[in-house]
Amino acid sequence: MIIEIGHFSVVVAWVLTLLGIGSSIAALRSRNADWVRVGRIAVTLTFVLLFVGMATLVYAFLMRDFSVLYVANNSNSKLPFFYTVAAVWGGHEGSLLLWAFILSSFSTLAVWLHWRTQPTIMPYLIAVESAVMLGFLSLIVFLSSPFARLVPTPLDGKDLNPLLQDPAMVMHPPMLYMGYVGFSIPFSFAMAALFSGRLGEEWIKVTQRWTIFAWLCLTTGILLGGYWAYYELGWGGYWGWDPVENASFMPWLVGTAYLHSVLVQEKRKMFKVWNLLLIIVTFSLSLIGTFLVRSGVLTSVHTFATDPERGLYILIFITTIIGTAFGALIIQSKKLKSQIEMDSFISRESVFLFNNLFFLVAAATVFLGTLYPLMVETLQGGKVTVGPPYYNAVFMPIALGLLFLMGIGPYIPWRKASASNLKKNFLVPLIAGLVTVVLLLVSGIHSLYALAGGFVVGFSGSAIFLDFGKISKLYANREHVNLFKGFLKAFSANQRRYSSLVTHIGVLILVIGIIASTIYQTEKVVSMKVGDTFSIADYEMKLLNIHEVEGKNWTAQEGVFEVTQDNEVITKLRPQKRVYTASQSPTTESAIHAINMGHIFLTMPDVSADGVAVARGVINPLILWVWGGGGIMGLGVLLNIFRPRRREE
Amino acid sequence: MMNRYILFGFLILVMFPWPTLAKVVDETELDVQVREIAKTLRCTVCQTENIWESGAPLAVQMRAAIRERLTLGHSPEEIHAYFLSRYGDYILMQPPKHGMNWLIWVAPFALLLVGGFFLYKEVKQWVRPSSSTPQQPPPPLDQEARERIERELHHP
Amino acid sequence: MSRGLQFSLVIGLLALFALFYQGLWGDPRSIPTVLIGTTAPTFTGPDVESGQTISLDQYKGKVVLLNFWASWCYECKVEHKDILRLHQQFKDHPNFVMLGINYQDELPDAKKYLKTYGSTFQHVRDIKGSLAIDYGVYGVPETFVIDQQGVIRHKWVGPIVGQVYTNLTENVITPLLNNTPPST
């Protein structure tokens, strides 16, 4: 009964979405503010109804109501409570409902937040958000309802995919969707600007916080995905250039380009068309990503039976949205005769342009690599794999270029940089970069990528610290306080700038972690019996015993390994080979010990009947910098979002 | 009677903590070779995973096939050729550099070069003609920094 | 935006959506075989039921149909009736042989499967999976047709039912048995 209430709510929400579109069109036609109010009510009620829909689904999961098909397919009576909630978005139908729910909460928030300050934008905002919402709700209502019943009711559910039973996976999809959906707000404002012809800087300033918030969510989502792959998939890596990962990385790359290029429009009122284009591409890529993941074009969501119906529907939907957006941009671009004026090629403006070029080429590379197999199949009928070796080879130079620009952009002045200015700002970083290379060479590191990475990290890192140092000193002198207080004063005086630099520091740390853990990863796989020892790097691993352990919905063979270094016991690691009871599917659970900012990563992929265990040890140097860097990036964004408001904003 | 002695002897053999039984194990040259080849081949039933990282039964069997061929004295190139002849280009983790595949190997760098050239030309065009007139020398360094502080302090 | 830029934007988007549309009808799991027209790799292996050794070489000069299957595979059960029907249809032809190849399976499971669903022809066990790799197999069921000269002439991934059955029997096997080139 309860689940029918959920179903009914979503159907009503679908109708209200139509009302939202209709009332905003009526508002634009009649210029009657009452229609906008109707739109606001529709958007708000949609949110309430989708909340009810989500709640009934969560309730069905918690009550373990296996008469609901979706619950039966994605949970089991023995599934722990924590994962039962996560199972709500563990499958196709539930993730779509979550998408729609997040979208409706964001649009409701945006409507109420900007109601007073942006009255002219409102009808457009409501119309665009409702149109996107209509697409998703139609999909849910007509093609992938999570509320369908299953007759007869099975005794127990099939269980959630064991790989998804992981804490990082609980938060990964919501964060990712919040990122995708978050970009819909600046997208809607951009569309409003295009349709209304109010093409100034206002929409960018209003949505600035939305944009970095969406970026933060998307970044967190991607990092959580990497974290999950690292712990759960058991091969010791965190990024596999898988089509699903790429689908989230593409909007991130273009979104990051957008984040930077809007600064130019804010300060110098240039690149208007360009910024509109970037936000449209960012949101389009979010939609395309959803299409790629959900339609089965690149990944097989279903075996042999191909069912293009859903995919076709999503394709029509995203074509409509993307087509309308680009159409509006092309038509309105005539009005946007750019008044581009630049003083010099050597200026912050042009560094930003090159930043955009690199980000877009990076996105195009991922896009091309992801779709290339499809292209080959269509054009030649053959099939190829575009895997990590390809991306690592072509992506590295582009990424290094971006990092180098990161060391220039924030410190080169707007308009024109003089020679003395360049010398003042970049001589020390250049020397620091070269010193880093020499230090790396002396310490026996000869990998070209590591050296190139060392140079750009040294360059960009020292540029940041040079800037922090200078400004802290000036404030300290001026206010007669010590250097640290001077730093704090400087930071809060221009928090937007300096919090961004904190994010840049996070990026550098992340990159150091990636380079070290990719190039200097060591790995060893051995077959061993209880009592045997193997060594990896300067650690000895002794298999003490193998025993059975049991969890709530799984059983496992657990190996106990004693890790020693120079005859000193460091820790005991307990990797498991698990079998989940309901689905009988095996997983390898890794055991990890953090040491010197890196990880000793141990898995036991196999134990034979006669007691021979296969042990796989991986040493990932500096891997903690990857997660730490990600954390610092997030901190920078939070400082940016929660900066004190200034009069000019 | 005899059986009991045999059983007893067997038990001693099994139960006694023979120090020599616990040994130090290590990878052989063969193991390393298998890994290097396995990392370049795709697990055909997985999602962009190589057969080294994958736990799928087919991947396990393919690793065994690599090992067997290496033991028979096949070279890594021959093993690659064998898998290619069975599964086509799909089995390789990266598109081989021939034919249309050049497109994706060259495109990123071509885009950077073309885009960079285009940007350079555009920016040169946008640069105000007035800026070609000699400008005043830049103000002294400290002055400039002070101005920046002044500006920032005005908006606390 | 310049006219050229607008134009290329529209063309690019159209091409992209056309590509997506085309992609909807493909199966991301299917891999086109590169084996058509090459000599069928030979193999020997034990019979699932009797355990006696079977070799492909025994059937030189005949049209051989190989059907890879496993007891855990759902689609194999879907096609099983039609596979038996296919054998009935051609089994009296002196130049036709059909072999099942049991792939990634446990012997008791395979035996039980054949008992439950019935079997009229021999099945070879692929113990190490090397036979399957030789044939570029990546999923079951997969079906191959080898001609009298020992050349692979046809491959199909997925169950042999409906239209696929008709095509296989009428356009591939019958012409081969009549020594006329198949028209696939």
Side-chain angles (χ1 to χ4, degrees), chain A residues 378-647:
Chain A
T378 310
L379 297 175
Q380 295 185 326
K383 217 155 196 189
V384 291
T385 301
V386 183
Y390 166 77
Y391 291 104
N392 292 344
V394 298
F395 208 79
M396 270 282 207
I398 301 173
L400 290 177
L402 271 171
L403 288 174
F404 184 67
L405 289 176
M406 197 173 103
I408 300 175
Y411 319 105
I412 193 168
W414 294 104
R415 291 177 187 278
K416 186 179 172 100
S418 63
S420 68
N421 182 289
L422 290 180
K423 199 176 139 196
K424 184 188 75 177
N425 284 334
F426 300 111
L427 187 63
V428 175
L430 215 55
I431 293 169
L434 293 172
V435 168
T436 315
V437 173
V438 173
L439 285 178
L440 288 176
L441 277 172
V442 169
S443 57
I445 287 170
H446 297 290
S447 151
L448 188 65
Y449 276 135
L451 292 176
F455 174 74
V456 291
V457 168
F459 176 80
S460 299
S462 58
I464 296 176
F465 285 107
L466 198 67
D467 189 62
F468 271 137
K470 263 188 210 160
I471 200 77
S472 310
K473 210 164 151 191
L474 282 162
Y475 269 82
N477 289 344
R478 196 194 147 90
E479 311 260 310
H480 304 293
V481 286
N482 65 28
L483 203 60
F484 180 68
K485 276 193 178 149
F487 166 74
L488 290 181
K489 282 203 184 294
F491 196 96
S492 56
N494 196 352
Q495 190 158 336
R496 187 165 172 204
R497 173 184 168 87
Y498 293 111
S499 58
S500 310
L501 293 188
V502 170
T503 302
H504 281 185
I505 294 176
V507 172
L508 290 176
I509 290 174
L510 179 96
V511 165
I512 296 172
I514 290 176
I515 292 178
S517 63
T518 311
I519 300 181
Y520 295 99
Q521 187 183 62
T522 45
E523 168 179 24
K524 198 173 262 187
V525 178
V526 291
S527 296
M528 63 199 305
K529 287 192 159 183
V530 170
D532 290 353
T533 309
F534 78 99
S535 66
I536 176 164
D538 45 357
Y539 306 106
E540 309 271 321
M541 315 250 192
K542 185 176 184 182
L543 179 55
L544 297 181
N545 66 315
I546 300 176
H547 59 124
E548 304 270 329
V549 284
E550 213 168 303
K552 201 171 174 214
N553 56 344
W554 49 264
T555 55
Q557 284 175 301
E558 184 176 85
V560 183
F561 291 80
E562 188 180 66
V563 184
T564 52
Q565 184 183 26
D566 302 330
N567 294 322
E568 224 171 280
V569 178
I570 300 175
T571 183
K572 276 182 186 154
L573 287 175
R574 297 162 186 276
Q576 295 176 346
K577 186 177 152 48
R578 266 188 206 173
V579 176
Y580 280 79
T581 327
S583 52
Q584 281 297 307
S585 40
T587 63
T588 38
E589 299 293 313
S590 48
I592 292 167
H593 178 69
I595 189 161
N596 300 334
M597 299 284 193
H599 272 165
I600 303 172
F601 182 102
L602 193 63
T603 55
M604 191 175 68
D606 198 32
V607 182
S608 70
D610 53 343
V612 178
V614 175
R616 178 159 179 269
V618 179
I619 305 294
N620 276 325
L622 295 190
I623 184 114
L624 289 185
W625 287 43
V626 175
W627 316 125
I632 294 172
M633 284 165 71
L635 176 74
V637 178
L638 286 176
L639 285 171
N640 194 338
I641 295 176
F642 296 110
R643 65 180 190 267
R645 274 180 184 272
R646 292 227 220 138
R647 249 167 294 148

Side-chain angles (χ1 to χ4, degrees), chain A residues 259-272:
Chain A
L259 210 62
H260 287 97
S261 100
V262 288
L263 292 174
V264 183
Q265 190 175 345
E266 275 184 46
K267 297 268 188 229
R268 303 274 287 111
K269 310 208 182 327
M270 301 194 294
F271 311 149
K272 288 179 182 167

